Amino acid sequence: MNLKSLCAFGALAVIGLSFGQNWRRPTLAGPTGKKNGIVAGELLVKLRPTPGRTVPVSLAGLPSGSYLHNSLAHLGWTLWMIPNNVDPRKAAMSVRSDPRVASAEPVNKVYALIGDPNDDDYGVQETEDTNPDVVLDLSNVNPSFTRLWYLDETFARDAWDVYPGAYYTYLTKPANAPMIAIIDSGCDQFHPDFINAGGTSTNTAMGGQLNWALSSHFSFGMPDGGSWNDDNGHGTHVAGLALAAANNGGFLCNSDFGIPSANHGIVGTGYNAQGMILKVIAQDGSGTDTDAAAAIMYAADNGADIINLSLGTENYSQVFQDAVTYAWQKGCLVVAAGNENGNGGGDLGPIYPAACSGALAVTADGPNWQPATADYAGYGDYVSIAAPGGDLIQDPDYILIQFIYSTAMETEGGANSLYDLSNQGALFPPYDIDYAYLAGTSMATPQVSGAAALYYGYYGLHRAQGHVNIRAYRALERSAQSVEGAPNGAWEPVQGYGVLDAYDLLFDADSRSSTVGSIEGIVYSGGTPVPNVQVRAQATTGGTTYSTTTHGDGEYRFDSMPPATYNVKAAPFGVLKTKTIIVSIGSDATGVDFWVNGNPFQDGPPVVPLFTVNSVGTSS
């Protein structure tokens, strides 16, 4: 089966738009950086100075169960412990009624702050004077945008203050960094932006970000010992968004056109991670699901925590589903790009592996969290989350080609590589050697993978611990910011659970104050998905029975379910199957699959025996 790589149209996704259209994309007030957390269960109280009096053991207005923990000595401040379920802000207001109290306030979280990285593209503003390829001023209004704008919109910089709280050098980079497998067209294995400061190579063994020992080239469904170096350009761009080293300075761009030769350098969202590069896409931008599925299983067998798939086919692929299930059951978080189209987005139908049961599907936004579905990105039941993918912004006064800027391969590549397409005039803005602007769901996906790596690193998680992928999957969905405004913090088909928020992710936040969750899965007979099968779910305590039917690819989804433990039932061909599943707020219970006539995925039980977070087995 031919695999239509998203790079074939992801890079060109917005080229078909007409500059003659006079529309303005709606804007959303951009949230500011968030370093404003407070500590539950603690309250600071400043007492009025009273000669000869000791610190009281109780105060009026404090909730029942509060007690003095200690005094902060000279300034009159005391620390009190209060019940965790009491809002410290309300407790502070209440205790001020005691005449002995001069002031009271919550205990604020403070954060290790790091300066902006010294990578040369960080903070750069694109204007018509500096880069006329991406900014066109029609009315002397001086429009501009930040070159690495996507880091602001995902709160990546705020997340880095929390974790890692530092920029690594080759000496300080942890040896056990989370592993992201980039399954794509390879990566420029000599690009200097994958070398940590002081390192001598992109190889992790010599201070780099890329694990050369585990990286591989695939053909005919197996690693073949060939070069995994990028000769198309897509994979290097994707890898940079997830993995580019931070604070390692700038590098001379070997530009032939477009941005003049200058020092450049970016930062990957998950610069704390290491990369396993698995090349399955050829120079012409295509590959096979055979190779991609083999690479997924290879990544699962060789320690990948996160698997990034910025590729896909619109044809249903059982080998993809089998590979995703294999990786999911071995504890990997599988992150895959949603559908897109250079002729316009919308309801484009599913794409695989993004639409596979167990995959976290990523769609693309333009700036200001606005869905790119009008221009190139698809939506549908399979979409989990959104992240910046870039867009063309047209206004009566200006035009901005606000795509995603990242690393590009240093060599020119051959026929149908992104460099070649740029030379032919088929790709705009021009593809500059070393760094380039591209747009697509392909670009959104590695930002989610990189954020997941921050989450893994912050909590010290590794897939061998079991169920880590479930925890990360749900945390990414639960912490996403809502733009489309689904009621009760629920899922909706345009952006899934919302827009990636790397900062809230690190705090396991319920960013939308969700009160409902979802269940999704697929129904099989043997190895064949079965459409039009009724699936029902009811809480074990009784109440509403939810009912839906499977789509043409056997998939189903329940939405807006109150948190509870549910019995989920399906009866393909009259054979009743039941699973007991926990629904959590703000996220999916994913991979809830049913099959008759044998398990098509494997002969034995899953390596991770429970891939839903409950204590009930997964027997079908």
Side-chain angles (χ1 to χ4, degrees):
M1 182 185 297
N2 183 56
L3 172 69
K4 177 165 62 175
S5 166
L6 289 188
C7 70
F9 55 90
L12 305 175
V14 193
I15 304 309
L17 296 177
S18 167
F19 277 144
Q21 294 172 312
N22 289 320
W23 56 269
R24 183 170 187 168
R25 183 169 293 291
T27 59
L28 177 74
T32 57
K34 296 172 291 185
K35 302 179 183 68
N36 57 358
I38 62 174
V39 178
E42 299 180 23
L43 183 68
L44 282 168
V45 178
K46 186 172 185 176
L47 301 172
R48 297 184 187 278
T50 305
R53 291 186 62 177
T54 59
V55 176
V57 295
S58 65
L59 293 169
L62 284 178
S64 175
S66 302
Y67 62 91
L68 175 70
H69 188 276
N70 65 287
S71 171
L72 277 65
H74 308 297
L75 298 178
W77 285 99
T78 53
L79 178 64
W80 296 75
M81 309 307 290
I82 64 175
N84 283 331
N85 62 351
V86 174
D87 186 334
R89 289 161 292 201
K90 293 181 179 179
M93 293 177 62
S94 179
V95 77
R96 289 174 192 147
S97 64
D98 191 307
R100 294 169 292 181
V101 173
S103 182
E105 62 186 37
V107 176
N108 296 296
K109 292 182 179 179
V110 296
Y111 307 91
L113 301 180
I114 54 177
D116 289 340
N118 65 9
D119 305 80
D120 279 11
D121 289 307
Y122 189 88
V124 171
Q125 291 291 312
E126 298 285 31
T127 68
E128 188 173 53
D129 290 337
T130 61
N131 194 353
D133 281 329
V134 297
V135 177
L136 178 61
D137 188 356
L138 302 175
S139 302
N140 295 318
V141 295
N142 300 315
S144 67
F145 64 90
T146 304
R147 182 170 293 168
L148 305 187
W149 60 274
Y150 52 89
L151 295 176
D152 297 327
E153 299 219 347
T154 59
F155 304 113
R157 178 65 179 78
D158 299 299
W160 301 335
D161 278 342
V162 178
Y163 178 83
Y167 301 119
Y168 296 123
T169 69
Y170 80 108
L171 290 174
T172 61
K173 181 68 184 284
N176 62 341
M179 179 80 73
I180 303 176
I182 305 289
I183 300 177
D184 213 289
S185 65
C187 181
D188 185 340
Q189 65 189 94
F190 303 108
H191 198 294
D193 225 346
F194 295 101
I195 304 174
N196 289 292
T200 58
S201 168
T202 64
N203 191 346
T204 52
M206 302 175 70
Q209 294 285 85
L210 310 180
N211 191 312
W212 286 25
L214 293 176
S215 298
S216 190
H217 178 280
F218 286 76
S219 63
F220 299 103
M222 60 190 306
D224 61 3
S227 172
W228 48 268
N229 202 37
D230 193 4
D231 55 4
N232 171 270
H234 187 264
T236 302
H237 199 273
V238 167
L241 292 167
L243 295 164
N247 209 53
N248 58 342
F251 311 99
L252 184 64
C253 178
N254 300 315
S255 177
D256 284 355
F257 38 72
I259 302 173
S261 293
N263 280 348
H264 292 282
I266 68 160
V267 186
T269 299
Y271 69 83
N272 65 307
Q274 59 178 313
M276 177 194 301
I277 307 300
L278 304 179
K279 180 176 172 63
V280 302
I281 299 295
Q283 188 178 84
D284 67 358
S286 67
T288 68
D289 60 352
T290 306
D291 289 342
I296 293 170
M297 291 184 281
Y298 173 95
D301 289 340
N302 285 276
D305 296 294
I306 302 153
I307 299 175
N308 189 94
L309 293 148
S310 292
L311 47 76
T313 175
E314 293 178 352
N315 298 323
Y316 177 77
S317 173
Q318 186 64 49
V319 70
F320 261 152
Q321 181 62 73
D322 290 359
V324 169
T325 301
Y326 180 83
W328 177 249
Q329 292 183 350
K330 292 201 78 168
C332 301
L333 176 66
V334 181
V335 185
N339 207 352
E340 60 178 35
N341 192 317
N343 296 319
D347 187 6
L348 305 177
I351 195 163
Y352 305 90
C356 289
S357 177
L360 184 82
V362 183
T363 191
D365 286 338
N368 299 314
W369 294 0
Q370 297 306 299
T373 49
D375 300 332
Y376 67 89
Y379 59 79
D381 281 357
Y382 68 95
V383 171
S384 302
I385 194 172
D391 213 342
L392 176 68
I393 308 303
Q394 298 187 79
D395 185 277
D397 295 323
Y398 57 83
I399 296 171
L400 303 178
I401 303 179
Q402 198 163 339
F403 288 4
I404 304 296
Y405 188 85
S406 183
T407 45
M409 62 184 187
E410 293 188 298
T411 56
E412 295 185 2
N416 294 318
S417 69
L418 297 182
Y419 182 87
D420 180 55
L421 291 172
S422 184
N423 272 326
Q424 296 175 30
L427 178 64
F428 193 86
Y431 183 91
D432 293 274
I433 301 176
D434 288 8
Y435 295 89
Y437 274 109
L438 299 175
T441 58
S442 286
M443 284 65 251
T445 304
Q447 295 175 63
V448 176
S449 295
L454 292 176
Y455 185 81
Y456 275 64
Y458 184 51
Y459 289 102
L461 305 178
H462 290 280
R463 49 174 275 194
Q465 296 166 334
H467 307 302
V468 168
N469 55 342
I470 300 168
R471 176 177 173 179
Y473 186 108
R474 289 187 157 177
L476 282 159
E477 292 181 334
R478 188 171 54 248
S479 61
Q481 295 287 347
S482 175
V483 176
E484 294 297 290
N488 304 315
W491 172 93
E492 52 80 25
V494 175
Q495 293 180 319
Y497 283 100
V499 181
L500 173 66
D501 185 331
Y503 178 89
D504 274 5
L505 170 67
L506 294 186
F507 290 100
D508 265 323
D510 174 16
S511 298
R512 304 178 307 281
S513 299
S514 304
T515 58
V516 293
S518 302
I519 295 174
E520 64 170 4
I522 194 167
V523 177
Y524 297 97
S525 175
T528 304
V530 185
N532 301 315
V533 174
Q534 188 174 55
V535 186
R536 293 187 178 93
Q538 185 181 41
T540 55
T541 55
T544 302
T545 297
Y546 297 84
S547 180
T548 188
T549 55
T550 57
H551 301 313
D553 59 358
E555 290 187 290
Y556 71 92
R557 169 183 283 279
F558 291 111
D559 185 34
S560 297
M561 305 174 76
T565 301
Y566 288 82
N567 288 323
V568 187
K569 299 180 180 182
F573 303 108
V575 181
L576 180 63
K577 300 290 181 180
T578 301
K579 290 179 180 286
T580 303
I581 302 296
I582 291 178
V583 170
S584 298
I585 57 170
S587 64
D588 289 333
T590 190
V592 184
D593 302 339
F594 297 90
W595 52 82
V596 294
N597 300 323
N599 180 340
F601 303 122
Q602 54 197 54
D603 295 330
V607 177
V608 178
L610 303 174
F611 53 97
T612 51
V613 278
N614 56 285
S615 60
V616 181
T618 59
S619 59
S620 298

